[in-house]
Amino acid sequence: MKFIVKGGLEKTGLHGSIRVPGDKSISHRSIMFGSLAEGSSHISGFLEGEDSLNTLRAFQAMGVEIEGPVDGRVTIHGVGMHGLNAPEKAIDLGNSGTSMRLLAGLLAGQAFDVELSGDVSLSKRPMKRVTEPLLQMGARVETAEGGRPPLKITGNQSLHGFSYRMPMASAQVKSCCLLAGLYAQGKTCVTEPAITRDHTERMLKAFACDVEIENSTACVTGPAKLIAADIDVPADISSAAFFMVGASIADDSDIVLQHVGINPTRTGIINILKLMGADITTFNQTEVGGEPVADIRVKSAKLKGIHVPEGLVPLAIDEFPAIFVAAACAEGQTIVTGAEELRVKESDRIQVMADGLQALGVETRVTDDGMIIQGGNGFGAGTVHSHDDHRIAMAFAMASLRASGDILIEDCDNVNTSFPDFAGLAATCGLAIEVIDD
Ligand code: S3P
């Protein structure tokens, strides 16, 4: 699938009031915890994207009865901590790193063997970051060469709690250890070097599981059990981010993004854009299932380049493709450092974004852990490759709002992993994307 987005027209900016699809991180966890809980859990606002559907199918393959999704509603008939069955074949998790890393922890404590595989992109992603701590807990998990998927997990191991200091700021690694900790004897504590998203900790509490949190350490005590809960999944701030950037860079924009999750471990995008001069306000704030949500209003603004504070990087880790597009439209230089994790996402998001920006005439310099962007001139016409990375494709779609000619975006199929019907929703607020099926 390709996107062609028209540039060079008199643009009227982004308008309207929209709700982007459900939060991917929360959707994954709702299926995992609902499946292991005692009783039935009802989920609303579930993301019907390929990544979270792969998690759902994985639990169905392990014998969990799951109804839906229908209009974002899912009912999960939990089987309890020890009620999963061995799947008939290897579980294919497609493009979803979150599924693989969290499931590795959860399945390390089961009584059966299981293999986890993924698509070409996922098969290149580092898994030692989860297998090493799991081995320390007494699990048996093997990777393919170079610490890559597939993962082969041998069941019937007795896991023990441990204290782990993560070498990188990763919510996936933290969650993997905590989920294995539910099956371990004693206490499992994970300390993070910088704050990362805490949906696992919040949702475990919603499923009546005690999580102790002190400063940058989270602990669970095993063996633990979960009790069914109903979860209202907020709209994904990572999907809303594209519209925040689009509305900021396009003239005459005024858009409202409804019911967006504004968990403080995820709001780096708002803080970074505000430091760049964006006009963003939040209102109608409330809380659902232990997660804060709000409506977010974004109007056009004159952005300026900044050095992005490194402390905000893990809080906006998925938003850098969009932030790089904003930087290209901001007056002066934007410097991103301390973001080496971007190199091991669905693509190498530093290199792939720099290549695309350069193809559209933006001056960039790539560094090991970030990028320097000379902004202010917007974009020329051109062709960019998203390397099958959903967020690269959507970021460049927004670039067209400030482009002098058409932008052709290659390899857009994976937009469906996190944002089904992105083009349809974008059209309702003023960004026409021509979708071409190869
Ligand atoms: C996620 C954590 C992040 C993020 C990913 C989802 C999660 O990865 O990039 O899209 O749901 O825990 P890391 O924790 O590896 O940075």
Side-chain angles (χ1 to χ4, degrees):
M1 193 163 98
K2 293 184 176 75
F3 287 166
I4 299 178
V5 211
K6 288 263 168 245
L9 302 172
E10 202 42 57
K11 298 273 186 195
T12 52
L14 297 182
H15 291 274
S17 177
I18 59 168
R19 180 165 172 163
V20 301
D23 188 281
K24 186 150 75 72
S25 294
I26 297 175
S27 295
H28 282 301
R29 287 159 173 84
S30 69
I31 297 292
M32 294 178 188
F33 300 172
S35 294
L36 296 176
E38 290 171 15
S40 296
S41 299
H42 305 276
I43 316 299
S44 55
F46 179 77
L47 167 65
E48 297 183 41
E50 275 308 307
D51 276 10
S52 38
L53 288 173
N54 275 322
T55 292
L56 186 151
R57 291 180 199 122
F59 282 90
Q60 285 177 326
M62 290 186 284
V64 182
E65 197 193 321
I66 303 178
E67 295 168 52
V70 176
D71 293 334
R73 281 190 310 281
V74 180
T75 298
I76 310 165
H77 300 286
V79 294
M81 296 301 285
H82 297 282
L84 297 178
N85 297 323
E88 278 171 18
K89 49 184 178 55
I91 296 179
D92 181 358
L93 298 166
N95 193 245
S96 178
T98 307
S99 308
M100 187 169 285
R101 296 204 177 108
L102 270 59
L103 276 178
L106 221 156
L107 296 178
Q110 304 297 329
F112 51 83
D113 300 348
V114 57
E115 181 173 328
L116 303 178
S117 63
D119 69 3
V120 177
S121 151
L122 181 53
S123 299
K124 290 188 199 144
R125 296 183 67 187
M127 292 296 149
K128 275 228 163 77
R129 53 180 58 203
V130 289
T131 58
E132 273 173 3
L134 289 175
L135 295 181
Q136 289 180 35
M137 299 179 80
R140 273 188 67 190
V141 190
E142 283 167 43
T143 64
E145 222 179 283
R148 315 281 160 194
L151 297 182
K152 288 189 178 148
I153 303 172
T154 306
N156 269 323
Q157 310 299 313
S158 49
L159 307 188
H160 50 81
F162 78 144
S163 287
Y164 189 60
R165 202 167 263 282
M166 286 195 294
M168 73 289 287
S170 167
Q172 293 182 349
V173 176
K174 172 175 65 174
S175 302
C176 169
C177 297
L178 293 175
L179 296 183
L182 301 179
Y183 287 92
Q185 284 296 332
K187 202 162 172 173
T188 294
C189 293
V190 188
T191 303
E192 50 190 14
I195 298 170
T196 68
R197 67 190 67 189
D198 64 357
H199 304 300
T200 296
E201 298 90 307
R202 286 174 187 254
M203 204 187 287
L204 280 176
K205 287 182 188 164
F207 280 81
C209 175
D210 194 28
V211 186
E212 293 167 58
I213 297 165
E214 212 182 306
N215 303 320
S216 50
T217 302
C219 305
V220 294
T221 300
K225 72 170 184 175
L226 307 181
I227 307 290
D230 292 346
I231 300 290
D232 172 3
V233 182
D236 197 329
I237 190 166
S238 296
S239 297
F242 300 107
F243 292 91
M244 291 186 209
V245 167
S248 296
I249 64 174
D251 288 341
D252 301 323
S253 291
D254 186 352
I255 192 167
V256 171
L257 302 158
Q258 301 160 14
H259 202 66
V260 180
I262 53 159
N263 177 319
T265 62
R266 297 284 299 280
T267 45
I269 177 69
I270 296 180
N271 296 328
I272 291 168
L273 287 175
K274 278 187 173 171
L275 287 174
M276 296 174 81
D279 183 347
I280 302 180
T281 44
T282 51
F283 58 104
N284 284 343
Q285 187 164 338
T286 149
E287 193 165 300
V288 292
E291 293 278 353
V293 298
D295 294 340
I296 301 177
R297 183 172 189 182
V298 189
K299 297 189 201 170
S300 321
K302 206 166 163 38
L303 302 183
K304 61 176 192 299
I306 58 166
H307 186 161
V308 175
E310 287 196 9
L312 290 179
V313 169
L315 309 182
I317 195 65
D318 289 339
E319 284 64 80
F320 278 90
I323 291 168
F324 292 141
V325 165
C329 301
E331 210 52 52
Q333 212 170 54
T334 293
I335 305 172
V336 176
T337 53
E340 58 278 1
E341 277 294 304
L342 294 180
R343 293 204 178 268
V344 291
K345 293 294 176 192
E346 286 84 327
S347 68
D348 174 346
R349 287 184 175 160
I350 294 178
Q351 194 57 53
V352 169
M353 280 305 299
D355 291 347
L357 291 171
Q358 278 163 18
L360 301 177
V362 180
E363 206 184 305
T364 66
R365 188 151 69 77
V366 159
T367 60
D368 286 347
D369 66 343
M371 203 191 307
I372 301 168
I373 297 166
Q374 201 57 50
N377 298 324
F379 305 92
T383 298
V384 298
H385 298 268
S386 73
H387 290 261
D388 296 314
D389 185 333
H390 53 142
R391 301 203 198 278
I392 304 279
M394 290 185 276
F396 280 119
M398 291 298 160
S400 69
L401 291 161
R402 283 282 291 274
S404 59
D406 294 359
I407 300 179
L408 168 65
I409 310 167
E410 305 264 22
D411 322 315
C412 295
D413 290 86
N414 277 345
V415 167
N416 288 330
T417 60
S418 67
F419 204 142
D421 201 27
F422 168 70
L425 194 61
T428 66
C429 48
L431 176 63
I433 301 173
E434 189 185 339
V435 179
I436 300 181
D437 281 317
D438 293 323

